[in-house]
Amino acid sequence: MNFIVEKVVLSKEKKIISTSAAKWDSRYTHDPPHTTDYYLKCCVGGVLSCGLTHLAVTPLDVAKCNMQVDPVKYKGLVNSVKTIMAEEGSAALFKGWLPTLLGYSAQGCFKFGLYEFFKDFYSNLAGEKAAHDYRGIIYLAGSASAEIFADAALCPMEMVKVKVQTSVPGTFPTELGAALAVMRSDPSTGFPFRSLVPLWSRQVPYTMAKFFFFEMVKEEFYRSVFTAPKETYSKGTHLGITFASGYIAGVACAIVSHPADTVVSKMSKSGKSPGAILAELGPMGIWGGLGTRILMIGTLTGLQWWIYDTFKTAIGLGIQTKKH
């Protein structure tokens, strides 16, 4: 009889232990927990992060796109800026600012919000130990998944932006409403999703590098440089680490995604297929404007992470610090 009772008790204990292990949930290992409300707030942070930063670097983007489309005429950043201002006026450096703001705000919403979601989703699929041991793969998978949706949101406005920025002055409207009307009425533009596949080829590797290197560099900062408990550092220190990690990640992003970025810019003007453009450019031609893009994307990525973490800190989602 005692043997039977002990067996039942042991069986119940095993069941409890098994159930407890199965209930591990990445979402609730964080402070604060990653609830739906948390993900939605991250979406808002992403809107501010991507929309504002891309708007701020519009002049660099205009110069970079023209350097990619016509490298003979637009040689180097300073020369390109001078040429654009001389031919079209200083206002031309902000061509396409509205589709830039709208498109990248939508992209940022899904990029950051869904990254947080997919990171937890894949962690739960992997299990507690594997999620920690293979966290780099989780970062890559989560960011790639999020970017697929983010680019679908970005694509229509990206097509309008690039067409506005690279068209010969007077041949294409610069106002958003008029530009949209022209692109919708012309089947040859392939609006709104003709550039989606090239956009994926540019943005998915870019975003994977952006999130992977950011997470790893930031982790290394805390492991090797800022080795005291995280809560002992000020908010300013944490945000400084965020910016530095984001800038380093941005340099990697620019290099990884530049060939596809060149193709997207060329497509807007020539109407050729990605394969035809690659064959025309050759292995060296796809790197036109890389220096400008490294400057732009490094600064952009650092600022994006800084704005994102600043927003999260302001609403109580950042790292908790000690009050002095």
Side-chain angles (χ1 to χ4, degrees):
M1 185 67 178
N2 288 338
F3 172 76
I4 294 174
V5 172
E6 287 176 4
K7 194 170 183 180
V8 171
V9 171
L10 286 172
S11 176
K12 286 183 177 179
E13 286 178 350
K14 285 181 180 179
K15 188 175 181 180
I16 291 169
I17 292 169
S18 175
T19 303
S20 176
K23 284 185 176 178
W24 180 85
D25 193 328
S26 174
R27 294 174 299 170
Y28 299 102
T29 61
H30 307 277
D31 182 20
H34 289 186
T35 60
T36 300
D37 183 63
Y38 173 85
Y39 296 136
L40 290 175
K41 288 176 179 176
C42 289
C43 287
V44 175
V47 168
L48 297 173
S49 171
C50 292
L52 295 178
T53 50
H54 278 276
L55 177 64
V57 298
T58 297
L60 285 175
D61 196 26
V62 171
K64 182 266 301 178
C65 286
N66 281 281
M67 288 165 63
Q68 291 172 326
V69 170
D70 192 350
V72 175
K73 180 177 181 179
Y74 299 97
K75 299 177 180 179
L77 175 60
V78 175
N79 174 267
S80 298
V81 170
K82 287 181 177 179
T83 300
I84 293 167
M85 291 179 66
E87 294 184 353
E88 305 175 57
S90 58
L93 292 174
F94 287 92
K95 286 191 301 183
W97 71 268
L98 186 52
T100 294
L101 177 62
L102 296 176
Y104 282 95
S105 292
Q107 185 208 41
C109 174
F110 290 102
K111 184 197 294 278
F112 282 91
L114 287 182
Y115 171 67
E116 300 286 358
F117 170 80
F118 280 118
K119 188 166 59 169
D120 287 326
F121 177 76
Y122 290 129
S123 292
N124 286 337
L125 288 181
E128 184 175 6
K129 187 177 186 304
H132 176 267
D133 293 345
Y134 301 100
R135 58 192 179 282
I137 295 175
I138 300 291
Y139 302 150
L140 291 171
S143 57
S145 299
E147 192 60 29
I148 289 172
F149 293 94
D151 289 343
L154 166 66
C155 190
M157 289 297 101
E158 176 72 359
M159 290 183 68
V160 174
K161 173 192 81 74
V162 175
K163 186 69 174 176
V164 167
Q165 291 176 342
T166 60
S167 294
V168 175
T171 63
F172 191 81
T174 57
E175 296 296 324
L176 177 59
L180 278 171
V182 171
M183 295 193 76
R184 283 172 175 161
S185 65
D186 184 0
S188 68
T189 64
F191 184 83
F193 294 113
R194 179 171 175 263
S195 294
L196 184 55
V197 173
L199 202 56
W200 277 334
S201 69
R202 178 187 83 184
Q203 289 295 133
V204 172
Y206 163 87
T207 301
M208 291 172 73
K210 172 179 182 171
F211 284 88
F212 175 82
F213 284 108
F214 172 79
E215 299 276 17
M216 291 303 192
V217 171
K218 189 176 182 181
E219 184 179 304
E220 189 60 35
F221 268 129
Y222 283 117
R223 180 169 51 237
S224 303
V225 182
F226 299 89
T227 56
K230 289 183 181 181
E231 65 271 14
T232 63
Y233 294 110
S234 67
K235 291 179 181 179
T237 300
H238 286 301
L239 293 174
I241 294 169
T242 290
F243 179 79
S245 302
Y247 195 95
I248 293 170
V251 174
C253 292
I255 296 170
V256 166
S257 62
H258 191 74
D261 184 65
T262 302
V263 172
V264 171
S265 295
K266 285 280 190 181
M267 283 180 66
S268 69
K269 188 168 185 177
S270 67
K272 297 178 181 177
S273 69
I277 291 172
L278 284 171
E280 181 183 289
L281 289 173
M284 297 304 294
I286 58 175
W287 298 104
L290 177 60
T292 300
R293 192 155 188 267
I294 285 176
L295 175 64
M296 183 180 86
I297 297 299
T299 306
L300 190 85
T301 306
L303 284 173
Q304 283 180 352
W305 279 113
W306 185 83
I307 291 172
Y308 181 65
D309 269 9
T310 297
F311 172 77
K312 289 175 68 177
T313 299
I315 61 174
L317 301 183
I319 296 172
Q320 299 301 312
T321 57
K322 285 187 177 179
K323 295 180 180 180
H324 298 285

